[in-house]
Amino acid sequence: MNWISALLGNLTYPTIFLLMLLESTVVPVPSELVVSPAAYHAAGGHLNVLLVVLFATIGADVGASINYVAGYFLGRPIIYKFANSHIGHLCLLNQEKVEKSEKYFYDHGVAATLTGRLIPGIRHLISIPAGLSKMPYWKFLLYTTIGAGVWHSILAGLGWYLHSFVPEDQLTEKLIEYGDYIKWGIIAIVLLAIAYFVIKRMRKRKTNRS
């Protein structure tokens, strides 16, 4: 997709919004190569890092809402049919990935909308099971905003940090290197958060029984 490459090479607030909108639907746009480079340029005085996070998060909210509405009104059969279609495969989708996001959502409840935004491979699909389950939109939007905001803040912090010692022509390479560490760290944090919610729920049930 040459037009996506063109947008990645011209990061402004509108393009950040658009790319994060696409990333939160089904178009394979890596947020690491959008928000971190934008924050890198912000550290050089070309953008405002707070606005980078804001526009990225609003874009993610809009894109996630599109997936939510699709799940809410189209239903599982049509979603699966699209995932298995030629266009779905071009977007790196398949039924197995959608089912994986559904399982994550149903295993972890509404909090999955927040924690799922931080997990690679699930982040852009977690909105679909939220729509399929008819989750209240205001709650969906709140959790999505928090999750996306946290993720984009982490990526922006990385880009800002790298500006102090990484030349621009080496930025992509370093983002990939540091991105792996961040992903594993995020997964660890998410697992701890899930464990916290599970323990809290079990204690609440035990109290109610008593």
Side-chain angles (χ1 to χ4, degrees):
M1 297 183 179
N2 294 331
W3 60 276
I4 290 181
S5 298
L7 290 176
L8 288 171
N10 181 35
L11 291 174
T12 62
Y13 300 125
T15 57
I16 292 168
F17 166 84
L18 177 59
L19 287 167
M20 289 301 90
L21 184 158
L22 295 174
E23 191 259 355
S24 288
T25 53
V26 294
V27 181
V29 179
S31 53
E32 298 90 335
L33 299 183
V34 177
V35 180
S36 293
Y40 181 95
H41 293 305
H46 302 293
L47 294 168
N48 182 298
V49 70
L50 295 179
L51 290 179
V52 167
V53 174
L54 177 63
F55 276 87
T57 302
I58 294 174
D61 282 345
V62 175
S65 295
I66 292 172
N67 277 4
Y68 173 91
V69 170
Y72 194 102
F73 290 104
L74 298 181
R76 188 172 286 102
I78 295 178
I79 295 294
Y80 284 178
K81 186 175 181 179
F82 174 78
N84 291 324
S85 69
H86 178 66
I87 296 177
H89 291 163
L90 286 176
C91 295
L92 306 182
L93 276 182
N94 56 49
Q95 184 173 325
E96 182 181 356
K97 289 183 178 180
V98 179
E99 289 176 341
K100 182 179 179 181
S101 69
E102 285 189 81
K103 185 178 186 303
Y104 183 86
F105 181 87
Y106 293 121
D107 284 351
H108 302 105
V110 293
T113 311
L114 190 159
T115 58
R117 295 293 312 179
L118 305 175
I119 301 178
I122 291 179
R123 180 166 59 244
H124 65 300
L125 296 177
I126 196 65
S127 309
I128 294 175
L132 290 172
S133 68
K134 304 296 192 289
M135 178 182 180
Y137 180 72
W138 68 268
K139 186 177 292 186
F140 161 79
L141 186 60
L142 174 64
Y143 285 149
T144 297
T145 301
I146 295 173
V150 169
W151 174 241
H152 294 147
S153 296
I154 292 171
L155 294 180
L158 175 61
W160 188 278
Y161 167 70
L162 292 178
H163 183 269
S164 61
F165 64 94
V166 175
E168 187 169 358
D169 61 350
Q170 298 177 20
L171 179 60
T172 300
E173 179 184 345
K174 285 296 181 182
L175 285 175
I176 294 172
E177 177 186 340
Y178 281 79
D180 288 337
Y181 298 135
I182 288 179
K183 286 175 183 177
W184 284 111
I186 289 294
I187 290 173
I189 292 172
V190 169
L191 290 175
L192 289 173
I194 291 171
Y196 168 78
F197 283 117
V198 169
I199 293 172
K200 184 177 180 181
R201 185 181 301 175
M202 290 174 64
R203 286 180 176 176
K204 185 177 181 180
R205 288 179 179 176
K206 187 175 181 181
T207 302
N208 291 338
R209 289 174 183 173
S210 301

